[in-house]
Amino acid sequence: MSLLPDMHRAGKLAEWETIDEDLWTDVQRRADETNGLDTPGNRETLKGVIASVAGVMAVGFDQPAVGVGLLFYGRTRDLKDGKVAAQTGTRSPLGEAFDAGADNLLAAIATPVLFKKNLITKDEAVIAGGVLGVKTLTSAVAKIRGQELHPSRAGKIGAFFVWNRYGTAVFAKALEQVKAPRAAEKMERFSRLNGHIGFVLEVAAALDYVHETFRARKA
């Protein structure tokens, strides 16, 4: 499995709708029967959401060791969902939207908790909130205008590094609790580096979303 996230990008039609029904696999038939809800990729996304939310809750209850394990598992699901969808021929607009929506939801849940626990800085929390606000606004405007606004590669990779920042910050806290200050300090430095990379990419992606959404339409 690649360490970088899959784009999980679909066309206007679900993948199985672009081929003859006689060629559908069992999972494609199941996807069609459920209007694209029950797919292998969506199952991976859902697993990731549940594990990541549980991980954030563990951090909130001062259990960073439990939290980092759950967050690690949850984010590996996010790396896998697009690949599973591609491998099973079940990519769809709904799956792409579910993946993007799950990423935004988790960021909205995790950021304030980690800030409250002093695991990320105020500047990072503000940037994360601003990026999330831009994503929400541009998605709404694009939908009203009938535009297709896909997650960008910079945004996906940026989110990957931001979640590395969050996870390694929790890991550093866990190392502090087991009395390993030197290891915790090194992990915190690595965590901040991930944050610098991730937030720069996410801001760049947010600006691109604004440009794509509000650029003048060609006559």
Side-chain angles (χ1 to χ4, degrees):
M1 181 175 67
S2 171
L3 292 177
L4 292 177
D6 189 273
M7 289 303 294
H8 204 160
R9 182 170 291 180
K12 292 183 178 180
L13 294 175
E15 198 164 5
W16 60 89
E17 294 178 340
T18 64
I19 61 175
D20 193 302
E21 185 175 345
D22 292 336
L23 301 176
W24 287 358
T25 63
D26 289 342
V27 292
Q28 288 174 322
R29 292 185 187 283
R30 177 61 182 169
D32 187 69
E33 289 170 359
T34 59
N35 296 313
L37 288 173
D38 187 8
T39 67
N42 287 350
R43 292 176 195 171
E44 293 298 320
T45 301
L46 184 59
K47 290 177 189 176
V49 169
I50 294 171
S52 296
V53 170
V56 172
M57 290 177 64
V59 173
F61 286 108
D62 295 316
Q63 298 295 325
V66 176
V68 73
L70 288 167
L71 286 171
F72 176 78
Y73 175 79
R75 301 319 296 167
T76 59
R77 299 306 91 190
D78 184 58
L79 294 178
K80 189 177 180 181
D81 57 6
K83 294 178 176 62
V84 169
Q87 289 168 358
T88 57
T90 54
R91 286 178 293 191
S92 71
L94 178 61
E96 181 182 340
F98 183 38
D99 182 38
D103 287 343
N104 292 339
L105 173 65
L106 291 174
I109 293 172
T111 300
V113 173
L114 269 64
F115 174 62
K116 184 177 180 180
K117 292 297 178 178
N118 295 315
L119 297 178
I120 60 173
T121 67
K122 182 179 180 179
D123 287 345
E124 289 174 325
V126 169
I127 292 171
V131 168
L132 183 59
V134 168
K135 286 181 180 179
T136 302
L137 174 62
T138 53
S139 294
V141 172
K143 188 172 183 179
I144 292 171
R145 296 178 65 174
Q147 295 173 288
E148 287 187 45
L149 192 63
H150 297 282
S152 69
R153 183 164 294 279
K156 269 288 189 180
I157 295 176
F160 170 78
F161 278 103
V162 168
W163 276 102
N164 278 356
R165 162 60 170 152
Y166 287 2
T168 51
V170 175
F171 192 13
K173 185 65 175 179
L175 290 170
E176 282 183 9
Q177 284 193 346
V178 297
K179 310 300 182 183
R182 290 186 179 179
E185 183 180 354
K186 290 180 180 179
M187 184 57 63
E188 176 61 21
R189 289 176 183 172
F190 177 68
S191 181
R192 288 179 180 272
L193 175 60
N194 276 271
H196 294 329
I197 297 170
F199 285 115
V200 166
L201 288 173
E202 284 219 314
V203 169
L207 293 174
D208 187 54
Y209 296 148
V210 171
H211 172 72
E212 287 296 315
T213 303
F214 295 103
R215 65 181 176 179
R217 294 182 178 180
K218 293 180 180 180

